[in-house]
Amino acid sequence: MSSKVKNWLLFLATVTVVVLLAMLGSNITDRKSESQFAYQPQVKIADNDPRNDVWGKNFPRQYESFLETKEMDFSSKHNGNQLKDALAGTPELVVLWAGYGFSKDYNQPRGHYYAVEDIHNTLRTGGPTEEGTGPMPATCWTCKSPDVPRLMNEIGIAEFYKGKWFDKGEQIHNPIGCNDCHDNKTMELKISRPALIEAFQSMGKDINDASHQEMRSLVCAQCHVEYYFNKKEPVEGVPYLTFPWKNGLTVEDAEKYYDDINFSDWTHSLSKTPMLKAQHPGYEIYQQGIHAKRGVSCADCHMPYKTEGGQKFTDHHIQSPLANPANSCQVCHRQDQNELMENVYSNQDKNKEGAHRLEKLLVRAHVEAKKAWDLGATEKQMQPILMDIRHAQWRWDYSVASHGGSFHAPVETGRIITTGIDKAQEARIKLAKLLPKLGFDGEVPYPDISTKAKAQKYIGLDMDKLEKEKENFKETIIPKWLEAAKKREDAMGVQTVSSK
């Protein structure tokens, strides 16, 4: 190659490098400029302002990603963000919850965007027609909306819990959002639900000592936990939201807590068992797993960081990590995406297999217990059997109600299911010994509960009546609530930063 050609190649290479460096410098300058002016407050956010769209004027990226929680386009092997009828998929659940609201209606959860809409629509809240009516207490609103801390601040905590679900209906409008987790002045994470603060106090801890990384899980633990309604204290007759954390965060700790105070959520309509209904102990199960022990927070996986322009921010499209494994999982794990997901599915498959076995055992236990009562069994004869059923179903419910348990702590979830199977078998062994003493030999007939409709008929639910009441509620009451909410929020107004 001639020296002339070499010189030209060197010249072109130099020019190319200079151009690329110039482009890189320009890009860095642009990104620094974007980052510098990324946060330009447009409005003044008042204390406890529940309106997510108002917060969104100052934080458009976060707000736009939050709006993506309305999407229903993701489905994993076992779950997703779509509305699925869990009772239709597993009719045994109807019998397990006989006498309780979940036997009427239970759907797999959608995104936070639908929190208020879905509680409006569920048959569990009934079709109340006026103040003081309906099956559910006002406490059931607690985790559904940033209007909750607003209203608690206005009328007091106990007064918020007091009364029926209907009574606070027109006050609760905005779905889970900004005011639930953020301070309006500093934007720091905050705890807006008193039950979590009180739970820490019951364990001798101060939640104010929590680190920022811990807060990235604790804001979720305001709602994704086990809880019950304490009608004895601190205010007699008021269903005060309480976490059973005094003894610790394991399934046995909560069970002992409830047994010690002789608490039950309801009495099973078939077996007459004083039952416990696990809510959604996601945080407690997560605490038993490897990610929690390694300091990984809920937000790390369900709300991973993302970058737009020169700004890094938390993605508020709260969703399953399986919908976004590149940002949620592969930031730490270098394995192939398919390998990571297959590992999760394998754990889920194994635990679901055990859970389904336990469901069938529990249905048989409830049916056989009913037969024993029908044959004249005494309270003394039934007490140890009912306690086994109570503890077995508590473990089943605790394992499945946490939703992500087979990912958060697969070994612990499997252990819980296994101990539940043991207790269900113990209940059936005792029943097998008791029934002959009551004059019955052979196998107790198993009902046809092959569909949701057949199961609901078996336990005596009048679904036509319940559905008509709900439709009337949606047609006559919801429009009034929406109108009242609009008037209230219109009166709140929005003050711009430049306003005096």
Side-chain angles (χ1 to χ4, degrees):
M1 183 183 296
S2 68
S3 59
K4 185 175 182 180
V5 174
K6 290 181 179 179
N7 290 337
W8 272 107
L9 289 175
L10 180 60
F11 173 75
L12 291 173
T14 302
V15 170
T16 301
V17 170
V18 170
V19 170
L20 290 174
L21 288 173
M23 292 173 63
L24 177 61
S26 177
N27 183 268
I28 292 173
T29 301
D30 290 344
R31 293 297 177 264
K32 284 184 176 180
S33 179
E34 288 178 13
S35 179
Q36 182 179 357
F37 296 102
Y39 178 55
Q40 293 292 321
Q42 303 298 309
V43 299
K44 293 182 178 179
I45 302 173
D47 291 347
N48 287 310
D49 192 326
R51 297 169 297 174
N52 297 318
D53 57 335
V54 173
W55 289 67
K57 294 182 185 301
N58 287 355
F59 302 94
R61 287 185 172 92
Q62 288 86 344
Y63 178 64
E64 287 167 7
S65 64
F66 154 77
L67 291 177
E68 293 176 4
T69 63
K70 72 171 66 173
E71 294 177 356
M72 294 189 295
D73 57 359
F74 170 69
S75 181
S76 66
K77 186 173 184 178
H78 296 292
N79 274 307
N81 58 13
Q82 301 162 355
L83 193 66
K84 294 181 181 179
D85 188 336
L87 301 183
T90 310
E92 289 89 350
L93 305 187
V94 175
V95 177
L96 297 186
W97 290 322
Y100 198 64
F102 276 73
S103 64
K104 306 173 188 176
D105 181 27
Y106 177 53
N107 296 313
Q108 295 291 349
R110 295 192 286 178
H112 283 175
Y113 182 85
Y114 297 101
V116 174
E117 178 180 331
D118 284 349
I119 198 174
H120 283 170
N121 292 336
T122 180
L123 294 176
R124 298 199 302 275
T125 52
T129 56
E130 60 184 3
E131 188 170 336
T133 64
M136 306 303 288
T139 320
C140 289
W141 284 115
T142 304
C143 284
K144 303 302 181 184
S145 169
D147 281 295
V148 170
R150 171 188 65 80
L151 193 55
M152 284 183 170
N153 185 66
E154 291 175 3
I155 65 176
I157 299 168
E159 189 64 26
F160 173 85
Y161 295 146
K162 184 179 179 181
K164 289 289 189 177
W165 178 78
F166 179 97
D167 303 348
K168 308 294 192 305
E170 69 175 36
Q171 291 286 341
I172 311 298
H173 173 60
N174 299 277
I176 298 167
C178 312
N179 185 48
D180 289 311
C181 304
H182 290 282
D183 182 274
N184 62 302
K185 293 181 176 64
T186 66
M187 299 305 135
E188 291 182 357
L189 295 174
K190 70 172 184 180
I191 303 302
S192 60
R193 300 307 195 272
L196 181 58
I197 299 171
E198 293 158 357
F200 263 62
Q201 291 170 346
S202 74
M203 296 187 293
K205 298 179 180 179
D206 185 348
I207 202 166
N208 293 312
D209 295 334
S211 68
H212 175 71
Q213 181 67 356
E214 290 171 328
M215 287 292 290
R216 283 163 56 81
S217 292
L218 288 173
V219 289
C220 306
Q222 297 183 99
C223 297
H224 292 266
V225 289
E226 164 60 15
Y227 61 83
Y228 76 108
F229 300 157
N230 189 338
K231 296 181 180 179
K232 296 181 179 180
E233 55 183 35
V235 181
E236 181 76 26
V238 173
Y240 201 95
L241 186 68
T242 306
F243 299 175
W245 287 7
K246 183 179 179 180
N247 301 323
L249 299 182
T250 69
V251 64
E252 288 88 359
D253 290 334
E255 178 182 88
K256 183 179 186 304
Y257 176 95
Y258 287 136
D259 287 351
D260 286 347
I261 63 173
N262 197 29
F263 173 83
S264 64
D265 284 290
W266 91 102
T267 299
H268 198 277
S269 63
L270 300 179
S271 66
K272 299 183 183 179
T273 303
M275 300 298 298
L276 296 172
K277 174 68 187 77
Q279 307 308 326
H280 24 66
Y283 179 78
E284 294 94 329
I285 288 282
Y286 146 82
Q287 282 290 316
Q288 310 308 314
I290 190 65
H291 286 86
K293 296 184 188 307
R294 294 292 183 268
V296 179
S297 73
C298 301
D300 287 327
C301 301
H302 294 275
M303 302 174 65
Y305 290 115
K306 65 187 298 187
T307 302
E308 287 184 5
Q311 186 180 24
K312 177 182 176 182
F313 65 98
T314 299
D315 187 353
H316 282 61
H317 183 189
I318 305 166
Q319 61 180 334
S320 165
L322 298 181
N324 184 19
N327 286 352
S328 296
C329 308
Q330 292 180 302
V331 173
C332 298
H333 300 285
R334 301 308 180 188
Q335 290 83 2
D336 177 75
Q337 174 177 313
N338 290 333
E339 180 182 346
L340 291 170
M341 294 182 73
E342 282 304 315
N343 178 262
V344 174
Y345 292 152
S346 175
N347 289 333
Q348 290 177 335
D349 289 344
K350 292 169 185 174
N351 283 333
K352 283 187 175 294
E353 179 184 351
H356 288 321
R357 287 179 58 202
L358 180 49
E359 289 161 6
K360 294 181 183 300
L361 289 171
L362 283 166
V363 170
R364 290 191 177 276
H366 284 299
V367 172
E368 290 161 0
K370 180 181 185 304
K371 184 68 174 179
W373 285 116
D374 292 343
L375 293 170
T378 66
E379 295 277 352
K380 183 177 180 180
Q381 288 173 317
M382 293 299 292
Q383 196 278 332
I385 295 170
L386 300 187
M387 188 59 72
D388 284 340
I389 295 175
R390 168 185 168 96
H391 289 167
Q393 185 156 327
W394 164 245
R395 283 162 170 73
W396 164 78
D397 211 343
Y398 198 95
S399 72
V400 300
S402 65
H403 298 300
S406 293
F407 172 82
H408 294 142
V411 175
E412 174 66 3
T413 301
R415 184 193 70 83
I416 292 170
I417 293 169
T418 300
T419 60
I421 290 174
D422 287 345
K423 292 185 178 296
Q425 293 283 36
E426 289 171 9
R428 295 194 67 209
I429 290 171
K430 291 171 184 174
L431 282 163
K433 293 178 179 179
L434 175 62
L435 287 170
K437 296 179 181 178
L438 300 173
F440 182 85
D441 288 313
E443 184 176 352
V444 175
Y446 192 74
D448 180 3
I449 56 170
S450 56
T451 68
K452 169 185 171 182
K454 289 179 179 179
Q456 289 175 327
K457 182 178 179 180
Y458 170 67
I459 68 171
L461 286 177
D462 186 344
M463 295 307 298
D464 287 340
K465 178 175 179 290
L466 293 172
E467 288 167 0
K468 287 177 182 177
E469 290 173 349
K470 176 57 72 173
E471 286 305 311
N472 179 66
F473 165 79
K474 289 162 66 176
E475 291 174 4
T476 61
I477 303 300
I478 294 298
K480 295 178 182 178
W481 285 2
L482 295 177
E483 182 181 359
K486 185 178 185 305
K487 289 181 179 179
R488 179 179 65 252
E489 294 187 354
D490 285 347
M492 293 172 67
V494 178
Q495 185 179 10
T496 63
V497 171
S498 59
S499 298
K500 302 296 184 183

